[in-house]
Amino acid sequence: MEQTANITAVRINAKSREKSGLLRLLLSMAKIGVIGFGGGSALIPVIEEEVVDEQKLISKKDYDEEVVSACVTPGALPVEIAAGVGRKTFGLKGMILAALLMALPGAFLTVLLLSVLSGRTDSSLDVIRYISIGLGGFISSLLANYAYKTTKTASREGRKTLIASVIIMITVFALTGLKSLFSLLGLEKIADSLIKLSTFQVLMLSFAILIAVYAVQTFLKNKKPKSVKTDSKSKRISYSSIIIETVAWLGFAVILTVPAILVLGDGISYILKGFASSFMSFGGGDAYLSVADGLFVNTGMVKENDFYGILVPVANVLPGSILSKILTGVGYLIGAEQSGVQAGIAGALAGFAISVAASGMVFGVVYWIFRTFENVSFFQLVSRWIRPIISGLLLGVMVTMFKTNVQTAGALGYGKAGVLVITAVITVADLYFLNRKKTGNLIPMAASAAAGALALLAI
C-alpha cells in the first residue's frame, strides 16, 4: 500500500511539474508576442533570452538548431521558432499551443485596430507609436547583446575562432545593414553605391560558402563524407513523427478555416492563396508584402487603398510576425467588405490559422532533415558558424529598428536627431542592465517603453 501511494504521489508531482512547465512556456510565448516589435529576425535574441536564459526551457544548442531551421524555411520565423521550442519541451500539444500564442497577440491587435480604424484617420495609432519608440531601443539592445554573447563564446574557443567570428559578423552586416546605416545618417550618395542583400540571400550565400569549405576539407583529408546509419525501426519512428505533425497542423487549419469557407464567397480561393503566400514567403516580412500584393491586391481580393492605407501601417506598428498580421488582416478586410464584421472575423480567423499552420508544417520538415543528418560533418560545420552569421544579420536588423523609430516618430511630428539619441541611450542603458545588473528583461522592457514615450513628450 505504501509503495503504491508513493508511486501515485510521484505521478501527481510529475503531472504538476509538467503543467507548471507548460504554463511557463505558454506565458513566455504570449509575452514575446506582446513585446515582439520588429518581428522576424529581431525576435531571435528576444526568444532566446526568455526560453534559454530566464525560463531555461531548452538548451542553447537546441535553440540554435531551431534558429537554423527557421531561418532557411519560408513562413513566419517567430512562429516557427516557437513551434520548435514547444515541440522540444512538450511534444505535439506544446508545438501547436506555443506557435498559436506567439502569433495571437499581433493578429488580435491587427483585427482590433482594423475594426476601429475603418473610415477614420490613423490618430488612434499614436499611443502604440509612443510606446514602440522605447521598445525599439529595448529590442535593439537584445540584438546587440546576441552579437556580444557570440563573441564571448568564440573567445573561449580560441583567438582564431574569435577573429573568424568577428570577420563573419562584419561581412554579413556589411551585406545587409551598411546601406541602411549610411542612409540613416543622411549619406545617400554612399548608400546608393552599396548593395543590400535580403536575409534569405545572405543565408543562401553563406550555405554555398560552407558547402565549398566542406568540399575542400573533405578533398584535402581524402576521406568520404560521413554517412548516417539508422536502423529501420528508428527510421519508421522518425517518418511517422513528421507525418503526425503534418496531419496535426492540417487539422488545426481545417478547423479554424471552416467558418470562412461557409461565410466568404471566395473563401476556398483565399485559403489556397493564403497557404501559397506562406510557402512563398522567403526573405522576411518586407518580402511577404510583395507576395501578398501579387496574390490579394492585384487579383482584386483586397482594395489597394485598404491594403496600403490601413493594413500595412497597422501591421508595421504592432508586435509580432508581419506574415501572420498581414494574412489575418487580409482575411478580415475580405470578409468585412463582403458581409460585415462577423464575416471579417471569420476571414481573420482563417488567415491566422493558415499563417501558423503553414509555417509550422514547413518548419517541421526542415527541422526533421536537420536533426536526421546532424551527425554529418557538413551540418556540424553549419552549427559551428551559424551564430556569427545570425549575429551579423541581427546587427543589420538593429539599424532597421533605428530607422523604424525615426519613421514612427516622424509620423508623430518629431525630428530624426532627437529620436536617434533617445533610441541609442535606451539601447546602451538596457545593454548595461542586461549584462551587469542581471535584472532579467521584464524591468528594462517596461522602463524602456515608459522612457521612450516620456522622452518624446519632453522634446
Side-chain angles (χ1 to χ4, degrees):
M1 291 290 292
E2 184 178 350
Q3 185 177 3
T4 303
N6 289 336
I7 293 174
T8 302
V10 169
R11 288 176 178 173
I12 293 174
N13 289 334
K15 287 183 179 180
S16 177
R17 286 195 298 270
E18 181 180 354
K19 288 182 180 179
S20 174
L22 181 60
L23 181 61
R24 286 192 295 119
L25 168 70
L26 300 184
L27 289 176
S28 293
M29 295 300 105
K31 170 186 171 183
I32 297 166
V34 170
I35 69 168
F37 289 88
S41 299
L43 295 189
I44 292 175
V46 180
I47 301 172
E48 180 179 359
E49 184 79 18
E50 180 70 20
V51 303
V52 177
D53 297 333
E54 288 205 6
Q55 300 298 333
K56 303 188 186 304
L57 293 169
I58 63 173
S59 68
K60 182 172 170 296
K61 178 180 181 295
D62 288 334
Y63 183 75
D64 286 344
E65 290 179 355
E66 312 286 357
V67 170
V68 172
S69 301
C71 284
V72 297
T73 306
L77 187 144
V79 175
E80 291 168 348
I81 296 177
V85 173
R87 177 181 50 196
K88 187 72 178 177
T89 50
F90 294 100
L92 196 62
K93 65 179 178 182
M95 174 185 72
I96 293 177
L97 290 174
L100 189 154
L101 283 175
M102 174 65 75
L104 184 60
F108 172 77
L109 290 173
T110 298
V111 174
L112 181 63
L113 283 180
L114 285 178
S115 63
V116 169
L117 294 176
S118 298
R120 303 184 185 183
T121 65
D122 63 351
S123 59
S124 301
L125 298 176
D126 285 355
V127 173
I128 296 175
R129 288 188 173 116
Y130 274 106
I131 293 174
S132 70
I133 298 299
L135 289 177
F138 172 71
I139 299 296
S140 295
S141 72
L142 293 180
L143 300 177
N145 200 41
Y146 187 95
Y148 171 67
K149 287 181 178 178
T150 297
T151 57
K152 282 183 66 176
T153 301
S155 66
R156 296 191 195 105
E157 297 180 15
R159 185 178 178 185
K160 290 183 179 179
T161 302
L162 175 61
I163 293 173
S165 296
V166 171
I167 291 174
I168 290 172
M169 280 192 285
I170 292 173
T171 302
V172 172
F173 171 73
L175 292 174
T176 58
L178 198 58
K179 183 172 184 176
S180 296
L181 178 60
F182 280 111
S183 176
L184 181 63
L185 297 175
L187 303 173
E188 299 295 345
K189 290 185 178 180
I190 298 177
D192 291 340
S193 66
L194 300 172
I195 63 170
K196 181 177 181 178
L197 301 182
S198 69
T199 297
F200 181 71
Q201 288 171 326
V202 168
L203 287 171
M204 291 303 99
L205 177 61
S206 299
F207 285 128
I209 293 172
L210 289 173
I211 289 171
V213 171
Y214 170 67
V216 171
Q217 288 179 344
T218 302
F219 175 77
L220 292 176
K221 293 179 181 179
N222 194 26
K223 65 177 184 179
K224 294 181 180 179
K226 287 183 180 179
S227 60
V228 179
K229 296 181 180 180
T230 55
D231 56 40
S232 58
K233 182 179 179 180
S234 64
K235 283 184 178 180
R236 286 197 301 271
I237 295 173
S238 183
Y239 292 145
S240 64
S241 66
I242 194 63
I243 292 172
I244 291 171
E245 286 181 14
T246 301
V247 171
W249 283 122
L250 287 174
F252 168 77
V254 168
I255 292 171
L256 295 186
T257 54
V258 167
I261 294 174
L262 296 175
V263 173
L264 303 184
D266 50 359
I268 294 178
S269 174
Y270 165 62
I271 289 168
L272 293 176
K273 287 182 178 180
F275 271 108
S277 70
S278 298
F279 294 146
M280 294 164 60
S281 180
F282 285 102
D286 293 337
Y288 181 72
L289 293 180
S290 63
V291 174
D293 180 282
L295 288 174
F296 301 119
V297 179
N298 291 343
T299 59
M301 294 188 78
V302 177
K303 294 178 181 178
E304 185 174 1
N305 288 341
D306 288 342
F307 186 80
Y308 288 105
I310 302 177
L311 177 55
V312 172
V314 164
N316 281 335
V317 299
L318 290 175
S321 159
I322 286 289
L323 188 155
S324 294
K325 290 181 291 186
I326 293 293
L327 198 48
T328 301
V330 165
Y332 177 83
L333 292 174
I334 292 173
E337 178 69 19
Q338 289 185 9
S339 307
V341 174
Q342 289 185 339
I345 293 173
L349 188 63
F352 171 73
I354 293 165
S355 70
V356 174
S359 299
M361 270 195 299
V362 181
F363 169 77
V365 173
V366 173
Y367 184 77
W368 172 78
I369 294 172
F370 184 83
R371 288 304 302 266
T372 301
F373 298 99
E374 66 178 337
N375 292 323
V376 175
S377 52
F378 169 69
F379 284 90
Q380 293 173 345
L381 187 66
V382 171
S383 298
R384 182 179 183 185
W385 296 111
I386 191 64
R387 280 189 73 91
I389 294 170
I390 297 297
S391 296
L393 289 170
L394 295 185
L395 291 176
V397 174
M398 187 172 71
V399 175
T400 302
M401 291 299 302
F402 274 67
K403 286 185 66 176
T404 300
N405 270 10
V406 169
Q407 294 167 355
T408 301
L412 294 169
Y414 293 94
K416 180 168 72 172
V419 179
L420 286 177
V421 171
I422 292 171
T423 305
V425 170
I426 291 174
T427 300
V428 173
D430 285 340
L431 266 174
Y432 172 78
F433 281 105
L434 287 172
N435 287 285
R436 300 294 181 186
K437 296 299 184 179
K438 305 298 181 183
T439 56
N441 58 22
L442 186 59
I443 294 175
M445 177 193 70
S448 298
L454 293 174
L456 273 185
L457 291 171
I459 63 175

